[in-house]
Amino acid sequence: MSDTTTTPRSGGPRIEILLIAAVCIIVLAGIWYVLTQRQQTLRSSPAGLDGLQVWLASNDVTAYNFSSGWPIDQTTVDLLVLPVYDTSLDETHTSPATKEELLLQPDEYDLGTEAILTKAQRVPTLLVLPKWRSGMRLTGLAHPFILIGKDGIAKTLGDVTGGSTPEIVFGKTPFTEFRYRSTVGEELRASLYAAQMFRNESCTPIIGTSDAMILGECPLPSGLEPDDDGSRTSMLVLSDPDLLNNHGLRLGDNARIARDFLSSRTDEGNIVIDYSRTSWLRDPFEEPERERTWADLQRFFGPPFLILWLGGGLLLALFLWRAALRYGPVLRDRAEPGASKALAIEARARLMRLSGQDGALVREYAAARISAVASALFGPAHAGHYAQEDEFLKFADRQHPAEAARLRSVLDGIQKLPVRTHAVEAIHLIDEFEQVLEQITHDA
């Protein structure tokens, strides 16, 4: 009968599937990183407002950053701080081609006029105008060379406010101070480097004068469609972001002014620093009540369905456990060199045993045992020679004369066994054969 070989079945998913899954995960993670890293870097840079959120929160003023992803109940927002890093609203941002263009680009990301006005109509809004080019964020240095031009900022302010055309005014000295009286009557001074002010006859100054204000209340453009019966008609405008950003909070009394002014605009509500590009505000009184709630889904996880879910979970665990055992990794002994030969011998022995050929099986066993003992005694180089029965008996005659005669007698008995022999006789010969081999191996 010819040898039968079997190939070990590999367990687990194929390596190609694992590689494809890993590549997909890496690509998705890379896309998410590219989309979020720029804004995260901007928020923590000198031009960002992360420091403002930390400063307010440390002074018991509820404030948090928002970058979209879920609806906000507008009734819980007392003041929406809306930083603008775009001087060309409603226009697509053009990626810079050189390092110089990157340092001098005035826009960080695109914003739309409609989104800004929608937010300003629905909740009190503080619009923070841009001032610095990208070089401020990338280098961490503030220099007049990287200030945004007046025209771009004036256009942005004019697009979101009504009244006469605004005019941007720059400070004539490196540092400009502005007086501010706190809610408790304390005199504070805001200090700004290369101050960026604006003039607009329709705006009411809060910090500064009508000819040079940095913070004022300005009307929204006329002709807007009313959002609801309580639509707002004005918003606050901060022309110089250094009063609130990470770079300017450490100058003068800027941090104290920011805390005092912003906290005076809250009434048990929240200050939201909004970096989103669309409006996520939701009016709970206008939107229809949902017909379905999470409670409807939770009913299916309570009694009596809970027993079914537990049973299904246990069945799934049992299924995965059995699958892991059956299709697990390749066993080490099945993957080593010679595994196919060992499996072939095992299969042949099983077939011979099932067909009742015990005599032939004992002869095959004896030959295999002599080969194994020869390999152990003489090593791989000489095992093939001494694995032959005649040569192994000659070796026994020379080295173990006391056991040689007994070994020859046992081998003769094994060779004379009929094909279909009784199991008791076969086991007796195998036992005696093993005793002789053990004695020869032990003495050697």
Side-chain angles (χ1 to χ4, degrees):
M1 184 178 295
S2 60
D3 292 347
T4 303
T5 60
T6 60
T7 303
R9 179 168 51 191
S10 60
R14 296 178 59 185
I15 186 64
E16 294 86 354
I17 298 177
L18 294 177
L19 289 176
I20 293 174
V23 170
C24 292
I25 293 173
I26 293 174
V27 170
L28 292 176
I31 294 174
W32 176 84
Y33 180 82
V34 170
L35 293 177
T36 59
Q37 181 64 20
R38 186 172 186 178
Q39 189 183 90
Q40 293 292 339
T41 303
L42 177 61
R43 288 165 49 177
S44 59
S45 71
L49 300 182
D50 273 2
L52 175 65
Q53 186 273 329
V54 174
W55 168 247
L56 294 176
S58 63
N59 285 273
D60 300 325
V61 180
T62 305
Y64 64 89
N65 296 319
F66 178 75
S67 57
S68 78
W70 63 89
I72 299 179
D73 185 351
Q74 66 185 45
T75 61
T76 64
V77 179
D78 278 346
L79 182 63
L80 190 74
V81 179
L82 186 57
V84 177
Y85 298 96
D86 188 3
T87 60
S88 302
L89 300 178
D90 304 319
E91 295 182 13
T92 303
H93 172 72
T94 303
S95 300
T98 64
K99 291 183 178 180
E100 183 178 358
E101 291 181 2
L102 176 61
L103 291 173
L104 296 179
Q105 71 173 353
D107 304 333
E108 293 285 1
Y109 62 86
D110 295 329
L111 283 177
T113 305
E114 182 179 358
I116 295 175
L117 295 178
T118 299
K119 296 174 183 179
Q121 277 187 288
R122 305 187 76 172
V123 296
T125 301
L126 171 60
L127 188 73
V128 182
L129 293 177
K131 177 180 179 180
W132 301 101
R133 300 176 185 269
S134 295
M136 164 67 162
R137 170 177 60 86
L138 298 173
T139 64
L141 302 176
H143 191 278
F145 180 71
I146 53 178
L147 287 170
I148 299 175
K150 297 181 179 181
D151 295 339
I153 300 174
K155 181 180 181 301
T156 299
L157 181 57
D159 289 340
V160 295
T161 59
S164 59
T165 303
E167 179 183 354
I168 301 300
V169 180
F170 286 147
K172 298 181 179 179
T173 58
F175 284 92
T176 306
E177 292 188 346
F178 298 86
R179 294 181 179 181
Y180 174 81
R181 182 178 293 274
S182 68
T183 54
V184 296
E186 184 180 4
E187 287 289 341
L188 301 176
R189 290 182 179 273
S191 180
L192 299 175
Y193 173 71
Q196 176 178 283
M197 301 160 285
F198 73 102
R199 180 187 300 115
N200 192 332
E201 296 178 356
S202 303
C203 298
T204 303
I206 298 176
I207 299 180
T209 63
S210 57
D211 292 331
M213 70 183 86
I214 60 170
L215 178 61
E217 184 172 3
C218 299
L220 295 176
S222 58
L224 292 177
E225 295 184 3
D227 182 72
D228 52 37
D229 294 339
S231 294
R232 308 187 65 84
T233 59
S234 65
M235 67 176 172
L236 299 172
V237 175
L238 177 65
S239 63
D240 196 319
D242 289 350
L243 181 66
L244 302 180
N245 62 21
N246 303 332
H247 158 69
L249 280 178
R250 60 187 179 85
L251 300 177
D253 296 326
N254 294 0
R256 298 173 61 187
I257 293 174
R259 179 191 61 189
D260 182 81
F261 176 75
L262 296 178
S263 62
S264 67
R265 297 281 171 161
T266 63
D267 183 20
E268 299 182 0
N270 301 314
I271 294 177
V272 180
I273 304 174
D274 185 10
Y275 295 93
S276 65
R277 303 184 183 185
T278 57
S279 178
W280 292 80
L281 298 171
R282 178 181 64 89
D283 188 351
F285 300 104
E286 283 194 349
E287 295 188 1
E289 184 178 357
R290 296 180 182 272
E291 297 181 359
R292 298 290 184 182
T293 64
W294 286 108
D296 298 322
L297 181 62
Q298 292 174 358
R299 293 183 304 168
F300 295 98
F301 293 91
F305 302 105
L306 181 60
I307 303 299
L308 297 177
W309 284 111
L310 292 176
L314 292 176
L315 182 62
L316 178 61
L318 178 63
F319 172 78
L320 295 176
W321 174 62
R322 291 299 300 166
L325 291 180
R326 184 170 182 178
Y327 299 103
V330 181
L331 298 178
R332 183 177 296 277
D333 57 347
R334 296 298 182 93
E336 292 177 350
S340 297
K341 183 178 180 181
L343 290 173
I345 295 173
E346 181 181 345
R348 183 176 179 182
R350 181 173 177 82
L351 290 174
M352 294 174 69
R353 185 69 184 87
L354 292 175
S355 61
Q357 302 182 35
D358 290 337
L361 179 60
V362 172
R363 284 192 288 274
E364 293 288 344
Y365 176 79
R369 288 292 292 130
I370 290 176
S371 177
V373 172
S375 178
L377 293 177
F378 307 108
H382 304 285
H385 174 72
Y386 286 101
Q388 302 177 16
E389 185 176 318
D390 294 338
E391 296 299 330
F392 191 83
L393 287 174
K394 291 179 183 180
F395 159 74
D397 289 335
R398 294 192 305 270
Q399 300 295 331
H400 306 280
E403 304 295 338
R406 185 181 174 189
L407 176 61
R408 184 175 282 103
S409 175
V410 174
L411 289 175
D412 288 342
I414 291 174
Q415 294 297 330
K416 293 177 181 179
L417 284 174
V419 174
R420 297 181 178 275
T421 186
H422 197 275
V424 175
E425 184 179 0
I427 292 174
H428 175 72
L429 287 174
I430 290 175
D431 184 55
E432 187 175 359
F433 177 67
E434 287 291 344
Q435 291 179 8
V436 176
L437 288 182
E438 180 67 23
Q439 190 66 36
I440 292 175
T441 304
H442 185 269
D443 292 342

